[in-house]
Amino acid sequence: MKIMLTIFLSIFLSKGCAQDQELSDVKVVYGANTRGYHRMITIENGTFSLVSQRDGKPSVVNLTDAQWKKLAELYSKIDLKTFNDLEGPTMERAYDGKPHADMTIVVKDKTYTTKGFDHTIPPAKIKEFVDYINKIADDSVFKNPILGSYVVEELVGVNVVEKNYFISFDTDKISGFMGCNMYSGTYKLDDENITISPLMATKKYCENEMKNEDLWFKTASNISRFEIENKTIFLLDNENKVVLKATKK
């Protein structure tokens, strides 16, 4: 009985225990890419790392013992003999409906790679493992609460809802329209604090439309905090006064 148990544990650890020192020669790489999306997950030497932007630096995700244990259990179910033949059941990636994904496992001098699949719709035989590592990645990524495009309703206390002004927040970029010129810049978040860099804009002159635009460019740098109520964002200055109110489209 002891011999059988020893053999079982040896097989299990050599194949699935991703945090074990004996797995220093095992590497798992999951990649998903499209024109507007990039993700690379690497599990190697007891480290789970994530890259979420093209040319971005990997960030290490600290896993609990329970997460490592579950990863090991799910990995132990993967059959490397059929791994190279695995491909997804759907083809949404063919028209950019989903990012193109694949997974590679390197064991010593052997490399195993799937034939490709739609991100979030992996082959059934590796679905549990792929879903779990993507959940870990999703949970580790900072959830930016202000991402999106908003219709500007008030600017420094003035109702401008009929003006068709808008403001958009990307990962770290801000852009929009405030009457005449398109503008852009960068911003940084720290909890509920926000810092907006000096804004750049095109150089058009528009009769009767420059007042609000100039006001926005002057006051944007004074914004220091934001609040969100349902789909509405409030940008406030250092005196806690509302500079801009806008509602997500």
Side-chain angles (χ1 to χ4, degrees):
M1 183 66 181
K2 288 184 178 180
I3 295 175
M4 292 296 293
L5 181 59
T6 300
I7 294 173
F8 172 78
L9 288 174
S10 298
I11 294 172
F12 175 78
L13 290 173
S14 65
K15 186 175 181 182
C17 190
Q19 82 277 27
D20 194 272
Q21 291 298 317
E22 295 179 7
L23 289 183
S24 59
D25 58 347
V26 173
K27 181 177 182 179
V28 179
V29 179
Y30 176 88
N33 293 278
T34 189
R35 285 178 290 182
Y37 183 88
H38 177 81
R39 167 172 287 181
M40 179 170 288
I41 298 169
T42 304
I43 304 169
E44 184 179 21
N45 296 331
T47 301
F48 188 110
S49 62
L50 172 67
V51 178
S52 298
Q53 295 182 348
R54 297 183 192 280
D55 302 321
K57 295 181 179 180
S59 58
V60 174
V61 181
N62 294 316
L63 272 59
T64 64
D65 290 343
Q67 287 175 313
W68 279 120
K69 182 179 179 181
K70 185 168 182 178
L71 268 180
E73 291 173 353
L74 296 178
Y75 179 75
S76 69
K77 297 178 183 180
I78 295 175
D79 183 2
L80 294 179
K81 294 178 181 178
T82 61
F83 193 81
N84 289 335
D85 297 323
L86 297 179
E87 57 183 328
T90 57
M91 281 294 294
E92 293 184 40
R93 60 193 181 279
Y95 53 87
D96 282 346
K98 290 277 189 181
H100 176 93
D102 53 39
M103 192 169 97
T104 297
I105 298 175
V106 181
V107 183
K108 294 184 178 179
D109 58 344
K110 294 183 179 180
T111 299
Y112 307 86
T113 303
T114 61
K115 289 185 175 180
F117 49 91
D118 292 340
H119 177 54
T120 72
I121 313 177
K125 290 184 177 181
I126 58 172
K127 179 174 172 55
E128 285 186 290
F129 183 86
V130 171
D131 286 352
Y132 190 61
I133 63 174
N134 274 307
K135 183 181 185 304
I136 291 173
D138 289 341
D139 290 346
S140 72
V141 175
F142 169 68
K143 303 295 190 301
N144 188 330
I146 68 174
L147 289 180
S149 187
Y150 300 75
V151 175
V152 179
E153 299 173 345
E154 291 184 14
L155 178 63
V156 194
V158 177
N159 188 321
V160 294
V161 72
E162 302 295 332
K163 294 287 190 177
N164 295 319
Y165 299 165
F166 72 89
I167 184 170
S168 297
F169 296 94
D170 202 345
T171 303
D172 58 359
K173 293 181 174 59
I174 181 175
S175 61
F177 174 77
M178 208 67 79
C180 184
N181 293 281
M182 299 296 295
Y183 66 85
S184 63
T186 60
Y187 72 95
K188 291 183 179 180
L189 293 184
D190 182 9
D191 293 327
E192 294 182 349
N193 300 317
I194 180 171
T195 303
I196 298 176
S197 70
L199 299 173
M200 300 180 65
T202 52
K203 301 296 183 180
K204 291 192 301 181
Y205 176 81
C206 306
E207 192 75 24
N208 301 322
E209 292 292 344
M210 302 305 296
K211 181 179 178 180
N212 285 339
E213 183 172 280
D214 290 343
L215 179 61
W216 167 241
F217 290 161
K218 290 177 181 178
T219 56
S221 60
N222 296 329
I223 292 169
S224 60
R225 196 168 65 84
F226 72 91
E227 294 180 357
I228 293 180
E229 294 181 7
N230 296 322
K231 293 185 177 182
T232 299
I233 186 170
F234 299 86
L235 300 180
L236 301 94
D237 63 14
N238 296 322
E239 298 179 354
N240 215 33
K241 295 179 180 179
V242 176
V243 174
L244 181 143
K245 173 186 175 184
T247 298
K248 186 171 286 188
K249 295 181 179 179

